[in-house]
Amino acid sequence: MFDSLDKLDRLERRMARLLGPEAGPTSSPSDLRALSLMEFIPAASKRFQAPTHLAPLVEGIERSCTERTWFASATPPRHAKTETLLHAMAWMLLREPRLQIAYITHGITIAGTKSRKARAIAERVGVPTARDMRSRLNWRTGHDDGGVYATGVRGQLTGEGFHVMIIDDPVKGRAAAESAVERDAVWEWLRDDALTRLEPNGSVIVNMARWHPDDVSGRLIAEYGVPYINLPAIGKDGVPLWPDRFSFEALDEVRRHNEYGWNSLYMGEPRGKGQRVFGDTRIGPKPETFAVAIGADFAYSAKSHADYSTAVALARVGSGKTATFHVLEVLREQSPAPAFAAKLKKFSERHGAARIYWDASTTERGMGDLMHDLLEIPVKTRLAKGDPFQRAQPVAGAWNAGRITIPASAPWLNAFLDELASFTGVRDRNDDQVAAFASAFDALELATPIAPPQTTHVSRWGNRARGY
């Protein structure tokens, strides 16, 4: 591991020589020492702007230097939180080089990379670094044991003591966060190993993507009563947190396509599986001109024959960001494949659909060929990606945003709404209508490609200040 870190260190030094030096401060260390952290960041790194949108986080970091401060915070992706934390370590050591700071993230390699960036900032502003203690993971100022010790979660901390502990994204991603075993392992290491290394009156700063309610931040809030600083991507007033970089339209595009991820990562309000996914309904008339797709879920092959087979006819009006949808009809039967195929054929002819869409598991895909032969119309069988909960997120996002309407009355309506209201994605008694609904929605959304969200920024290597 350390050989690979040394190689990466040499590569980064070579790239720095090729690209030229970072635009450094024009003020002396004594002048920089007098600045607040908010003022220090653009003074230390000319290509960065002051992160005024992160003012509560910055204020919490500043308090940690003068008093015992524990807090958990959440900021949206790409909103400058890690760069703020790295500059904060340099700022702390410039003001007090005897401070012992721990920097902890999800893996040792990324910990070394981030620590090296913090060291480069510190050296640039005049923080002394001891030549014999200047590794990527452990660098010192030469004042007592002051400096930075970086490690990954479950890394070695024995023998070290810290005045400030910065925990930056201790969980790598969604898969780890959804695992109760992984969450327990991270928490036990943090509680039993990391937090025991704090000096008396030491401070703890946690900033992480809130993948799950029961994550490190959630447990610190529940068990230790630490304050929670949440900076959502869009405030209650509808204004983006960082409008110079992320417009409302760009953020709304993210939300529309992944409401589950939006609530967790962008709004700091994680919602675990097992909670209601679909919100309130919206009544609307059948549109006059529309495109239509039919999604299906067949209760055969790997499934029990007692389950329902379902088809959902969904209409789309418009395209792109302004598209709206209307549920035309739902067909739901407990019947053998030939009998359901006969009804589904009439169903598709009634709505003028040229194709049926079905998201199936690998063991079910052969059923698509059988239904294709029985229906005498194409059945587009796609390999299902993720579990039912994950597959429902795009259509749930549109539903909760009010972009999908239903008729005021229909024979199938109560059963359809009951299933949506009870759907959680965890051991639901029925999810066939949700599955068919999601397949129809995906087919209509994918029919017209939507451009990825655009952000406004200046090139990283440009000479103007920009966000980061």
Side-chain angles (χ1 to χ4, degrees):
M1 177 62 71
F2 287 99
D3 288 343
S4 64
L5 288 175
D6 290 340
K7 290 178 182 178
L8 186 57
D9 197 19
R10 290 194 297 271
L11 176 61
E12 289 182 353
R13 287 199 300 270
R14 182 171 182 271
M15 291 300 294
R17 289 196 299 270
L18 291 172
L19 295 169
E22 170 74 63
T26 57
S27 302
S28 66
S30 60
D31 291 335
L32 291 170
R33 194 176 295 116
L35 299 178
S36 67
L37 176 56
M38 189 72 75
E39 297 166 331
F40 172 84
I41 291 174
S45 299
K46 295 301 182 184
R47 63 189 176 95
F48 292 149
Q49 300 169 349
T52 53
H53 60 291
L54 301 182
L57 172 62
V58 171
E59 291 166 4
I61 295 170
E62 291 179 334
R63 283 198 309 275
S64 71
C65 296
T66 58
E67 60 186 78
R68 182 183 184 274
T69 302
W70 286 38
F71 70 87
S73 60
T75 53
R78 309 306 302 159
H79 275 65
K81 59 96 176 173
T82 293
E83 292 290 354
T84 297
L85 293 173
L86 298 183
H87 279 78
M89 290 191 283
W91 176 79
M92 291 176 185
L93 291 172
L94 181 64
R95 294 164 63 92
E96 180 46 80
R98 294 176 297 176
L99 276 180
Q100 296 166 269
I101 302 171
Y103 178 80
I104 300 168
T105 188
H106 55 79
I108 194 168
T109 300
I110 190 68
T113 299
K114 300 300 184 183
S115 173
R116 185 183 184 279
K117 288 184 177 180
R119 189 187 72 199
I121 298 167
E123 292 177 336
R124 197 165 64 239
V125 299
V127 175
T129 54
R131 307 307 297 178
D132 59 338
M133 290 293 289
R134 194 176 172 275
S135 73
R136 295 165 62 87
L137 294 169
N138 186 3
W139 50 276
R140 305 296 168 132
T141 63
H143 292 257
D144 294 337
D145 286 327
V148 172
Y149 187 95
T151 189
V153 167
R154 286 177 275 188
Q156 181 64 258
L157 285 173
T158 303
E160 300 291 338
F162 305 103
H163 300 103
V164 178
M165 184 171 291
I166 297 174
I167 302 169
D168 183 18
D169 280 333
V171 179
K172 185 174 183 179
R174 173 71 69 192
E178 295 287 3
S179 167
V181 172
E182 182 67 18
R183 292 197 305 274
D184 287 344
V186 172
W187 174 247
E188 289 167 7
W189 176 85
L190 178 67
R191 181 193 60 197
D192 298 340
D193 292 351
L195 294 181
T196 64
R197 309 313 305 169
L198 277 176
E199 295 289 340
N201 297 317
S203 294
V204 178
I205 299 167
V206 179
N207 190 284
M208 64 182 295
R210 295 299 312 277
W211 299 98
H212 195 279
D214 188 41
D215 56 19
V216 166
S217 290
R219 295 194 188 191
L220 282 170
I221 294 165
E223 298 185 26
Y224 285 75
V226 304
Y228 180 41
I229 299 174
N230 184 27
L231 302 174
I234 298 178
K236 294 180 180 180
D237 56 1
V239 177
L241 177 63
W242 197 4
D244 291 344
R245 182 164 168 79
F246 293 98
S247 68
F248 177 88
E249 291 74 19
L251 293 169
D252 190 54
E253 186 76 6
V254 175
R255 181 194 59 77
R256 290 196 310 114
H257 289 283
N258 183 8
E259 181 153 335
Y260 181 52
W262 170 260
N263 285 326
S264 300
L265 302 181
Y266 287 82
M267 299 300 287
E269 299 172 350
R271 184 177 63 196
K273 293 181 181 179
Q275 300 180 18
R276 181 176 176 179
V277 174
F278 291 87
D280 295 335
T281 60
R282 183 179 177 186
I283 306 297
K286 178 181 177 179
E288 296 182 2
T289 304
F290 54 87
V292 66
I294 293 177
D297 186 60
F298 301 124
Y300 312 109
S301 186
K303 295 185 177 182
S304 166
H305 288 273
D307 286 346
Y308 287 92
S309 290
T310 303
V312 174
L314 186 66
R316 185 193 70 193
V317 179
S319 62
K321 300 177 182 179
T322 61
T324 58
F325 302 84
H326 183 79
V327 182
L328 298 171
E329 187 179 0
V330 177
L331 173 65
R332 190 172 187 241
E333 295 280 344
Q334 286 178 309
S335 59
F340 183 73
K343 292 185 177 181
L344 182 55
K345 184 177 180 180
K346 293 181 180 179
F347 182 87
S348 62
E349 290 171 349
R350 185 158 61 248
H351 294 290
R355 179 173 292 180
I356 309 286
Y357 295 88
W358 182 35
D359 294 309
S361 69
T362 53
T363 59
E364 296 171 323
R365 297 184 74 179
M367 180 53 60
D369 296 333
L370 173 61
M371 296 303 293
H372 174 88
D373 294 339
L374 292 172
L375 285 165
E376 299 178 350
I377 60 173
V379 175
K380 178 69 173 178
T381 304
R382 304 175 297 195
L383 181 62
K385 296 180 179 179
D387 59 24
F389 181 86
Q390 293 169 316
R391 296 199 298 274
Q393 294 311 307
V395 68
W399 177 275
N400 294 335
R403 297 173 58 219
I404 303 178
T405 59
I406 57 172
S409 62
W412 48 266
L413 192 57
N414 287 342
F416 180 69
L417 293 179
D418 285 348
E419 184 172 308
L420 264 61
S422 62
F423 178 77
T424 66
V426 179
R427 295 186 295 276
D428 296 298
R429 182 175 181 180
N430 296 114
D431 62 9
D432 49 278
Q433 294 176 96
V434 172
F437 191 22
S439 295
F441 180 81
D442 288 349
L444 289 174
E445 279 282 86
L446 295 174
T448 303
I450 298 174
Q454 300 294 314
T455 60
T456 56
H457 64 274
V458 180
S459 168
R460 175 174 181 175
W461 309 113
N463 293 323
R464 290 184 291 165
R466 69 166 182 89
Y468 49 92

